[in-house]
Amino acid sequence: MTGEPGPGVRDFRLMVAPEPFDPAAVEPSHQEVSRREPARQEPPSSESLSSESSHRERPAATPAARATVVQFAALLSEPDIARLKAAYGLRLDKFIPNLAYLERLDTATADRVRADFLVRAVIPFPQASKLSPTIPATGPLDLTMVLFEDSDSVAVTASLTALGARDMATADDRESGGRLRLHLTLDDPSRVAQAAAIDDVIWIEPEPEFTLMDAGSARVLQSGDPSSGPVWIHNLHGEEQVIGMIDQGGVDLDHCFFADNPPNKPGPDHRKVVRAFNEGVVGRHFMQMAGIIAGDQLGFSGNHPNRGGAWAAKLVTRSLGDLKREKINTGFAVFSLETLLNASRKEGASIHNLSWGIGKVAAYDVLAQDADKFSFEHEDQLLVAAGQNREQGTENLPPGIAFNTLCVAATKAFPDHMSRGNGVDGPTPDGRRKPDLMAVGCGITTAAIPTPSPKGPFCDVEVIACGCSAATANTSAAAALVRQYFQRGFYPAGEPRKDKVIKQPSGALIKAVLLNSTVRMTDHPGYPNDITGWGIIQLDRTLFFKDTSRRGLIVKDVPKSAGLRMGETRTSQFFVNGDTEPLKITLVWVNRPPSEQNLPHPRVDAIRFEVEDSQGNFYMGNDLDGINGVSRKLATAPASPPDAINNVQMVIVNQPTPGTWRIRLRQSGHQEKQRYALVVSGDVAVDEL
């Protein structure tokens, strides 16, 4: 964006993010149209609106409809949005900084929209904005293309065939709320620009490449001690929990960790596997991760020394191959990550283990977008993904670098668990902190497949390589125990009560509890940092049990229906009993997935996070003294928050002053309501926030 607004002119660039282009500068002829000041359209009357539904579905695009950017001069109110949808058929669902949306409009509608008093500019969608900066300069190129929802994929495929595209396959997830995508190969890189010129195309990026991120560890994540499992002691082992797994292959139901009595077939009544989408397909890495999460010996339940962290949980299994383009020519379907996650969700899964990453560079891509969209649309779901292993690359990859995904790196085994065992340094290209946290990923013994494969029941185990995959599996198991804690009614009294059951704790709440439970690592300076994130999980630092805990727990789980509105300030208060226990406050919010044109520069929907103590001092989210790892005490609250890019924020005070404390949140990212979760742990009076 160039230039400054003239005197008395409101700055349309208000607050949001760097722009990929300035719509008013892209096509001067359109800017001149606005300068000639045609008669501006006033809002249609209520009578004219009553004949059209503000939520109607737009019909399929006509040949004259073009990809068009509509930019507004100010933030839209909810009545503005309703009027614009009704008057012009705008969807307003593909946001582009700043204050702009990608639409499909014919010439007549574009002219009408341009004349609206709220509109700053209307231009054809710039072709260059359809291309990912990570597309290689040399071919052949394996590519993913995202199309408009109303596109004719057959017609687009014919156009691409004329450009020399081959090995094409369509991934159509529109019926489940997903996107229409094409997978293809272009031998000639010079044809990419011509492919982008097809009006149905929204985005083109390289096809992803997948990398696997290769008992006592479960107890370490509960207490920091492999001999103490305080969560297990309170009969929280993962019962009634279902964890979705997408990994290489599947599990062998003849292994004692996953077997059931005859007929031993996956299904709702099976002891371990609710659904196997690729029944009969087995993978070593899959078996290892499944064993760490939920392995439990048939006939010896809860007693095998190498059982999983949530050994009573069940699994939904899916082969990672269902995401890979290598299947295009095999006759099998290729799906998006969002579709696979939705399928597992419908089978009962609420936590999803992704012990892998994709790509060669740490670019936010359509797979990361899928992860964020799924989390945003399904409040009770949590995605746990692996950070990169240092021997496999130097950057953390999607889906771990998505906003709403919990990214995990590996610590060494006890007693060296306060040191990193594997993982690479952050941050993400846009500056966000990843990995989020650490879990034990080294020295783990779990399910194994002997060679040659047995023809009947077996119970082999092996010590696996140190890696972020195993740490991710351990974290998914811990997440299942946290979810069960709330579903069993342990909160707030620290003992199970039927009248306190939280049937569907949100993914944001589970993520916030895991992050609140973290302990600073000892082998790297600074806290938090881009090496170990917020540290290693230790659940007894946050989960409150009446008979053993010194620290109280307060949570606030806010759904989107009750979320923060644009410009709203919301205040909560709680009471600190004494200064002998550190106070830790964690805020997690679920970020909207960016549209395709924002993928190279994804933005956070910021929430200002401010805490005031009983003496009138202030602490800001993520404003920490890195040496001491505690929040800075301020006499006055600053005008701007110190961290406006991370959707995980903390305030940590080692010796909090007793009395009433206040938390203030202010949403400034988007006109949609913002859901969030707050977790407070320390010597606090357990009460509602």
Side-chain angles (χ1 to χ4, degrees):
M1 193 76 69
T2 60
E4 294 298 324
V9 177
R10 183 175 181 181
D11 189 352
F12 68 91
R13 298 170 294 182
L14 177 66
M15 73 166 211
V16 241
E19 291 184 311
F21 54 86
D22 180 354
V26 169
E27 196 165 272
S29 60
H30 288 295
Q31 192 172 16
E32 292 303 319
V33 168
S34 65
R35 286 176 178 170
R36 289 197 296 269
E37 294 297 330
R40 306 298 277 176
Q41 290 191 2
E42 294 302 319
S45 67
S46 58
E47 290 182 3
S48 65
L49 289 181
S50 64
S51 63
E52 301 180 75
S53 169
S54 61
H55 301 286
R56 67 186 179 190
E57 291 295 323
R58 185 176 62 190
T62 65
R66 298 185 61 189
T68 305
V69 176
V70 179
Q71 186 182 47
F72 298 95
L75 290 170
L76 300 177
S77 66
E78 290 185 5
D80 289 335
I81 293 171
R83 179 182 68 81
L84 291 164
K85 287 182 175 181
Y88 311 117
L90 300 184
R91 297 177 70 99
L92 301 178
D93 60 351
K94 297 179 177 65
F95 179 80
I96 303 173
N98 279 336
L99 307 180
Y101 293 86
L102 180 60
E103 303 285 345
R104 290 258 270 188
L105 304 177
D106 58 39
T107 302
T109 304
D111 288 341
R112 291 173 56 221
V113 171
R114 186 178 292 111
D116 192 281
F117 73 102
L118 285 176
V119 173
R120 177 179 183 262
V122 177
I123 64 163
F125 183 34
Q127 183 175 314
S129 295
K130 298 182 178 184
L131 302 175
S132 168
T134 62
I135 296 175
T138 58
L141 302 177
D142 294 330
L143 301 171
T144 295
M145 290 186 178
V146 181
L147 308 183
F148 278 99
E149 290 86 344
D150 54 12
S151 296
D152 181 347
S153 60
V154 175
V156 176
T157 299
S159 298
L160 291 168
T161 301
L163 294 177
R166 58 180 172 85
D167 297 339
M168 282 185 283
T170 301
D172 189 350
D173 301 324
R174 290 176 291 184
E175 287 189 5
S176 60
R179 309 301 296 273
L180 175 61
R181 296 172 183 166
L182 296 180
H183 303 272
L184 59 112
T185 297
L186 271 177
D187 293 309
D188 184 356
S190 67
R191 298 284 190 173
V192 173
Q194 292 173 270
I198 298 172
D199 202 71
D200 294 272
V201 174
I202 296 176
W203 180 251
I204 304 175
E205 69 175 34
E207 189 77 23
E209 296 181 8
F210 294 83
T211 304
L212 301 177
M213 309 297 188
D214 279 321
S217 63
R219 290 195 183 95
V220 170
L221 295 191
Q222 294 178 39
S223 66
D225 182 347
S227 65
S228 174
V231 182
W232 282 352
I233 288 172
H234 288 87
N235 293 316
L236 298 173
H237 318 109
E239 291 89 347
E240 298 93 38
Q241 304 304 306
V242 179
I243 299 165
M245 291 187 64
I246 301 174
D247 210 300
Q248 190 71 54
V251 297
D252 190 330
L253 292 183
D254 284 333
H255 193 288
C256 70
F257 276 13
F258 315 111
D260 199 0
N261 295 315
N264 194 23
K265 293 290 185 182
D269 297 325
H270 191 273
R271 189 181 70 98
K272 298 306 296 182
V273 182
V274 174
R275 175 74 185 270
F277 281 97
N278 312 87
E279 192 172 351
V281 178
V282 176
R284 182 186 180 199
H285 189 267
F286 206 123
M287 292 276 288
Q288 293 169 347
M289 299 308 108
I292 294 170
I293 295 171
D296 181 40
Q297 184 177 354
L298 179 65
F300 198 49
S301 186
N303 290 289
H304 194 287
N306 306 125
R307 63 192 179 278
W311 52 265
K314 295 186 179 185
L315 302 172
V316 175
T317 66
R318 190 90 190 217
S319 172
L320 185 59
D322 286 348
L323 283 171
K324 293 184 177 182
R325 77 182 311 274
E326 291 94 291
K327 294 184 67 176
I328 287 175
N329 294 320
T330 65
F332 292 94
V334 179
F335 303 96
S336 70
L337 177 60
E338 183 185 5
T339 294
L340 299 191
L341 293 169
N342 260 318
S344 294
R345 178 184 64 83
K346 291 175 182 178
E347 297 294 335
S350 57
I351 295 160
H352 304 265
N353 188 83
L354 311 173
S355 287
W356 43 269
I358 64 99
K360 296 179 180 179
V361 295
Y364 189 102
D365 60 6
V366 294
L367 190 135
Q369 181 192 45
D370 270 358
D372 279 336
K373 185 172 183 287
F374 177 78
S375 299
F376 184 78
E377 293 183 350
H378 304 287
E379 297 192 359
D380 62 334
Q381 304 289 301
L382 175 65
L383 274 58
V384 186
Q388 175 81 289
N389 288 333
R390 57 176 170 264
E391 59 269 23
Q392 295 171 312
T394 60
E395 299 177 295
N396 291 305
L397 303 172
I401 64 171
F403 283 93
N404 304 323
T405 299
L406 192 61
C407 182
V408 185
T411 76
K412 295 179 180 178
F414 184 88
D416 300 317
H417 60 290
M418 300 306 287
S419 299
R420 182 168 74 171
N422 210 333
V424 299
D425 299 353
T428 63
D430 56 309
R432 290 177 292 115
R433 184 174 292 110
K434 296 285 181 173
D436 291 292
L437 50 70
M438 310 289 287
V440 176
C442 305
I444 297 174
T445 302
T446 186
I449 303 176
T451 303
S453 298
K455 300 299 183 182
F458 64 104
C459 206
D460 294 60
V461 295
E462 63 180 341
V463 179
I464 64 173
C466 178
C468 296
S469 282
T472 301
N474 257 327
T475 302
S476 292
L481 300 185
V482 172
R483 188 171 189 271
Q484 186 182 18
Y485 175 91
F486 290 107
Q487 290 189 322
R488 287 279 179 92
F490 274 86
Y491 177 78
E495 59 185 1
R497 293 186 179 179
K498 292 182 178 180
D499 62 331
K500 296 298 182 181
V501 166
I502 301 175
K503 293 183 179 180
Q504 294 293 344
S506 74
L509 176 60
I510 297 168
K511 180 179 177 181
V513 168
L514 291 171
L515 285 157
N516 190 273
S517 77
T518 52
V519 176
R520 180 177 182 174
M521 308 280 285
T522 58
D523 64 336
H524 292 285
Y527 183 78
N529 58 56
D530 292 325
I531 302 168
T532 60
W534 291 99
I536 184 173
I537 298 169
Q538 189 174 314
L539 292 180
D540 67 353
R541 295 295 298 165
T542 296
L543 294 185
F544 171 66
F545 296 104
K546 184 178 180 180
D547 55 347
T548 60
S549 300
R550 294 179 300 170
R551 296 170 58 80
L553 171 65
I554 308 172
V555 307
K556 191 177 185 71
D557 196 8
V558 180
K560 185 177 180 181
S561 59
L564 275 170
R565 295 179 181 273
M566 170 70 74
E568 175 190 359
T569 298
R570 192 170 294 182
T571 302
S572 304
Q573 66 182 38
F574 62 96
F575 193 85
V576 174
N577 297 317
D579 62 1
T580 58
E581 284 289 325
L583 175 68
K584 195 170 189 178
I585 308 171
T586 304
L587 169 68
V588 169
W589 67 88
V590 181
N591 211 61
R592 280 184 315 121
S595 61
E596 283 76 14
Q597 279 57 57
N598 299 341
L599 297 186
H601 305 286
R603 58 175 288 271
V604 71
D605 294 333
I607 294 179
R608 176 188 173 90
F609 176 31
E610 169 189 308
V611 177
E612 182 181 0
D613 70 15
S614 59
Q615 304 298 311
N617 300 302
F618 293 89
Y619 306 87
M620 302 298 296
N622 287 3
D623 182 24
L624 283 85
D625 172 357
I627 296 176
N628 297 309
V630 295
S631 296
R632 294 182 176 88
K633 183 189 294 186
L634 306 171
T636 58
S640 300
D643 183 351
I645 61 173
N646 285 291
N647 64 325
V648 171
Q649 306 238 340
M650 290 202 201
V651 167
I652 303 171
V653 183
N654 273 347
Q655 292 180 301
T657 58
T660 300
W661 287 55
R662 292 175 175 82
I663 300 171
R664 295 186 184 90
L665 305 177
R666 183 178 177 83
Q667 199 258 89
S668 60
H670 198 263
Q671 62 262 29
E672 293 184 29
K673 292 179 181 179
Q674 183 72 57
R675 63 185 174 97
Y676 63 91
L678 270 171
V679 175
V680 180
S681 63
D683 186 6
V684 295
V686 177
D687 201 353
E688 298 294 331
L689 276 177

